[in-house]
Amino acid sequence: MEFKGAMGGLYRLTEWISRIAFSNILWALCSIPFLFMAVMKMIMLGSGAGGPNEQITLNWTLGILAPFTVFPATAALFTVVRKWVMGNTDVSTFRTFFQGYKENYFKSMLGGLIYTVLFVVMYVDVTVYMTQMANFKIVGILMLVLMIILFVSMFNFFSIVVHYQMTFKEVVTNSVLLTIARPIRVFSTLIGAAVLVYIGLRYPVLYAICIPTLIAMFAFFNFYATYNKLQLQVEKKKQEELEAQEAAEREAAERLMNDDDEDDDEDMDDVNDADKEPKRI
């Protein structure tokens, strides 16, 4: 039964709310170990409980858990929002989520390991250069910029993992290259994500309902717009190459025809000259 008017709009709104909330719950359930430790760390920071050793232990635990929990869950979430952004909104959220979770687990886990190690190394470098080596603050700033670029490239990493059939090396390479080649589009994703995170900080309940899913939707929307633009450029280039090839073939055919006509004219001239010669008796 299809509703029209205000009732139809309300029905579609509640349908989207339920989709987003359900996919968000699935993501949270698959990320429970990491989220639990993250909440514990926030509570300890807010209350001042625990010493440096406890904080270091929590950091190590978060770093170990992230590649095996958050990264595969996020890849599965991107699998769902990819369908929505591409216009296929009637798919089963549950089935699509766990299908993406299963298919992309290995690549997303490997990506999580690499990203986690790089983040840890860069974080340590930034901390050391910015706080303990005043003469090398410029290096710390450079590492901070690289750290931001690495973080932003994760949006492209998840989008490429779920959208293309590539090897893991190609996924990582293209995610970084796309981040560098399209900085405005990618950093608009970062700004949008930051706005959603800020709203979530003001209203924490939204994290459980929609914030991660909305960030994934916005990130893939920007990626898909970039993808379509690149596809148009590739098709335009192919069309120009095809037109240039056709023009060259036509020019070659015309030149060949002109050469044949000149040969025929020369043959006719030879025949006429032969007819004009006097016959010998």
Side-chain angles (χ1 to χ4, degrees), residues 25-275:
I25 291 170
L26 292 176
W27 176 84
L29 287 174
C30 292
S31 306
I32 278 181
F34 178 88
L35 295 179
F36 176 77
M37 300 305 297
V39 171
M40 290 291 295
K41 181 176 175 62
M42 293 175 63
I43 293 174
M44 290 178 66
L45 288 174
S47 62
N53 292 333
E54 287 77 5
Q55 293 293 335
I56 292 174
T57 302
L58 282 174
N59 291 339
W60 276 105
T61 305
L62 290 172
I64 293 172
L65 290 175
F68 303 98
T69 56
V70 175
F71 276 80
T74 305
L77 183 61
F78 268 75
T79 304
V80 176
V81 301
R82 171 181 176 270
K83 296 288 187 180
W84 296 347
V85 172
M86 295 179 67
N88 192 0
T89 58
D90 295 329
V91 295
S92 170
T93 301
F94 184 87
R95 183 165 56 251
T96 304
F97 183 93
F98 283 103
Q99 181 180 356
Y101 190 90
K102 179 181 178 182
E103 291 177 353
N104 301 310
Y105 185 88
F106 184 70
K107 287 182 181 179
S108 58
M109 183 265 292
L110 285 179
L113 290 172
I114 292 176
Y115 273 104
T116 301
V117 170
L118 290 176
F119 273 126
V120 170
V121 172
M122 289 183 178
Y123 177 77
V124 172
D125 288 342
V126 169
T127 303
V128 171
Y129 285 118
M130 297 294 286
T131 60
Q132 300 179 16
M133 302 177 69
N135 295 330
F136 293 92
K137 277 191 176 182
I138 186 65
V139 179
I141 295 173
L142 177 61
M143 295 302 296
L144 181 61
V145 172
L146 292 176
M147 193 174 177
I148 294 173
I149 293 175
L150 183 68
F151 175 77
V152 174
S153 71
M154 282 198 303
F155 293 117
N156 287 327
F157 172 79
F158 289 116
S159 299
I160 292 173
V161 163
V162 302
H163 194 66
Y164 291 105
Q165 292 295 329
M166 292 182 176
T167 63
F168 176 73
K169 182 179 179 181
E170 291 173 338
V171 171
V172 175
T173 303
N174 282 285
S175 62
V176 175
L177 290 177
L178 187 60
T179 303
I180 298 173
R182 302 287 177 177
I184 296 177
R185 175 72 70 172
V186 175
F187 277 96
S188 68
T189 302
L190 180 62
I191 294 172
V195 171
L196 290 171
V197 169
Y198 174 76
I199 295 173
L201 292 175
R202 296 291 301 273
Y203 308 99
V205 69
L206 293 178
Y207 278 109
I209 298 175
C210 62
I211 294 296
T213 303
L214 291 178
I215 291 175
M217 285 183 67
F218 187 63
F220 189 84
F221 176 83
N222 268 342
F223 166 81
Y224 193 58
T226 303
Y227 165 80
N228 287 333
K229 188 174 182 179
L230 291 174
Q231 286 293 105
L232 289 175
Q233 291 177 352
V234 170
E235 291 176 2
K236 183 179 179 180
K237 186 176 180 180
K238 287 183 178 179
Q239 184 65 27
E240 291 175 352
E241 291 176 352
L242 182 61
E243 291 175 356
Q245 183 179 358
E246 291 176 351
E249 290 176 353
R250 285 197 301 268
E251 184 178 353
E254 291 175 358
R255 189 182 299 111
L256 182 61
M257 291 178 63
N258 292 333
D259 292 341
D260 291 341
D261 291 340
E262 290 177 0
D263 292 340
D264 292 341
D265 292 340
E266 291 177 357
D267 292 340
M268 290 297 296
D269 291 341
D270 293 340
V271 171
N272 291 333
D273 291 340
D275 292 339

